Amino acid sequence: MILYFSGTGNSLAIARNIAQSTNDRVMTLTEAVQQDLTAEKRIGLVYPSYDFNMPPAVRLLLPQLKISADAYVFVIISCGAQAGNCIWTAKRLLRKQGVRLAYSHKVRMPDNSAIAFGRNPNNQIWKFERFAFRLERIIADVKVERHELHFNGWSFLGWLMGQTFLEKGMIRTLGPKVNTDKCIGCGICEKVCPINNIVVNEKADIGKHCTLCFGCVHFCPQQAITTNGREALKERQYHHPEITLKDMLQK
Ligand SMILES: Cc1cc2nc3c(=O)[nH]c(=O)nc-3n(C[C@H](O)[C@H](O)[C@H](O)COP(=O)(O)O)c2cc1C
Ligand code: SF4
Ligand code: SF4
């Protein structure tokens, strides 16, 4: 079973690619915490790196998983470049549940946060080809249930960015805001949000628990959601090319 958390499909694409080769099923982390997974012999976790850290939502969900201490557990980080403390934190949280992390790695993907700084994540699609070798290696390793941890060290930057005041500051600055003049109340953002933090009545209303996945920013068809005070130009909106909006709604 491969569990994922994804805002713009990079992590879902990785999870699916692995699952296709290993004959595993994929499931969102949000759904997985509602299930008893203790019979699963192999559990994969795929999620992005946010500010050199595990996404706050993953940090809350991971300890709620019901998995067996005997399962082969692996973690794959999808990131622009740096996994930071993502794997170190998973190792620690799993250990608290009596589970040993067997394997970890990262795959570089287009950085979906670039849109917050006026840059275009679509200019980074060269990473698919450049880092395809990494995904192939991960698949080969997971198939034989190799025990090997990569990118699992402690990162000072990750620790620093995870301090509550910086994390909250980041959410305040980068957190999505709705431009009500542009919003047509289509409801897509509500369905895309992996943690159900958006309610749409006539207009979208973003709640207080944003985990900064940027799914709503990238998928809004009206470019009505801003981040860092910047408009999400259509040409800068990104999602993994193998992943459709429909895929993202199956949560
Ligand atoms: C708020 C935010 C912060 C991010 N911080 C980092 C980071 O510190 N290091 C990094 O390599 N990528 C970072 N990224 C990029 C994502 O990790 C990357 O694009 C990931 O593949 C997105 O996965 P998804 O499409 O499954 O959501 C960040 C993205 C967001 C939205
Ligand atoms: S996706 Fe955009 S247009 Fe649709 S409800 Fe959300 S903010 Fe409004
Ligand atoms: S509100 Fe938007 S950015 Fe925040 S978690 Fe939901 S979809 Fe992601």
Side-chain angles (χ1 to χ4, degrees), residues 145 150 163 251:
E145 301 196 350
H150 300 268
Q163 296 306 297
K251 54 172 176 161

Side-chain angles (χ1 to χ4, degrees), residues 126-177:
W126 54 268
K127 288 180 184 169
F128 296 137
E129 213 179 306
R130 176 83 65 85
F131 297 103
F133 79 96
R134 178 61 62 71
L135 192 53
E136 280 169 27
R137 174 173 172 188
I138 289 168
I139 289 169
D141 285 346
V142 166
K143 267 185 171 170
V144 297
E145 301 196 350
R146 187 180 298 282
H147 285 65
E148 201 167 78
L149 297 181
H150 300 268
F151 304 103
N152 63 323
W154 182 79
S155 140
F156 172 71
L157 209 49
W159 172 82
L160 187 66
M161 297 305 287
Q163 296 306 297
T164 313
F165 76 101
L166 276 178
E167 201 166 79
K168 284 199 170 150
M170 202 56 89
I171 294 175
R172 247 195 327 271
T173 315
L174 299 185
K177 312 255 179 330

Side-chain angles (χ1 to χ4, degrees), residues 50-61:
Y50 293 166
D51 302 320
F52 305 94
N53 259 310
M54 181 182 266
V58 177
R59 220 157 51 217
L60 286 174
L61 292 168

Side-chain angles (χ1 to χ4, degrees), residues 115-239:
I115 195 168
F117 309 100
R119 298 200 309 270
N120 192 341
N122 295 299
N123 290 342
Q124 298 178 26
I125 53 172
W126 54 268
K127 288 180 184 169
F128 296 137
E129 213 179 306
R130 176 83 65 85
F131 297 103
F133 79 96
R134 178 61 62 71
L135 192 53
E136 280 169 27
R137 174 173 172 188
I138 289 168
I139 289 169
D141 285 346
V142 166
K143 267 185 171 170
V144 297
E145 301 196 350
R146 187 180 298 282
H147 285 65
E148 201 167 78
L149 297 181
H150 300 268
F151 304 103
N152 63 323
W154 182 79
S155 140
F156 172 71
L157 209 49
W159 172 82
L160 187 66
M161 297 305 287
Q163 296 306 297
T164 313
F165 76 101
L166 276 178
E167 201 166 79
K168 284 199 170 150
M170 202 56 89
I171 294 175
R172 247 195 327 271
T173 315
L174 299 185
K177 312 255 179 330
V178 180
N179 177 346
T180 47
D181 291 340
K182 284 180 137 191
C183 174
I184 55 163
C186 71
I188 287 177
C189 55
E190 178 178 317
K191 293 184 192 135
V192 152
C193 179
I195 55 160
N196 302 319
N197 189 43
I198 306 181
V199 176
V200 180
N201 289 312
E202 296 219 332
K203 306 275 177 184
D205 184 15
I206 301 180
K208 290 193 172 76
H209 303 288
C210 179
T211 198
L212 284 189
C213 79
F214 281 14
C216 57
V217 177
H218 285 281
F219 280 103
C220 172
Q222 300 296 314
Q223 296 78 42
I225 305 188
T226 61
T227 164
N228 202 14
R230 285 171 200 271
E231 205 179 339
L233 298 178
K234 194 175 165 73
E235 61 270 22
R236 289 192 199 133
Q237 283 179 309
Y238 164 84
H239 60 86

Side-chain angles (χ1 to χ4, degrees), residues 5-14 47-53 77-84 107-114 124 170 174 211-214 218 238-240 248:
F5 186 88
S6 187
T8 55
N10 289 345
S11 309
L12 172 53
I14 294 170
Y47 54 85
S49 158
Y50 293 166
D51 302 320
F52 305 94
N53 259 310
I77 304 305
S78 90
C79 56
Q82 307 283 347
V107 181
R108 286 186 64 186
M109 286 273 166
D111 182 346
N112 61 358
S113 71
Q124 298 178 26
M170 202 56 89
L174 299 185
T211 198
L212 284 189
C213 79
F214 281 14
H218 285 281
Y238 164 84
H239 60 86
H240 191 285
M248 296 302 297

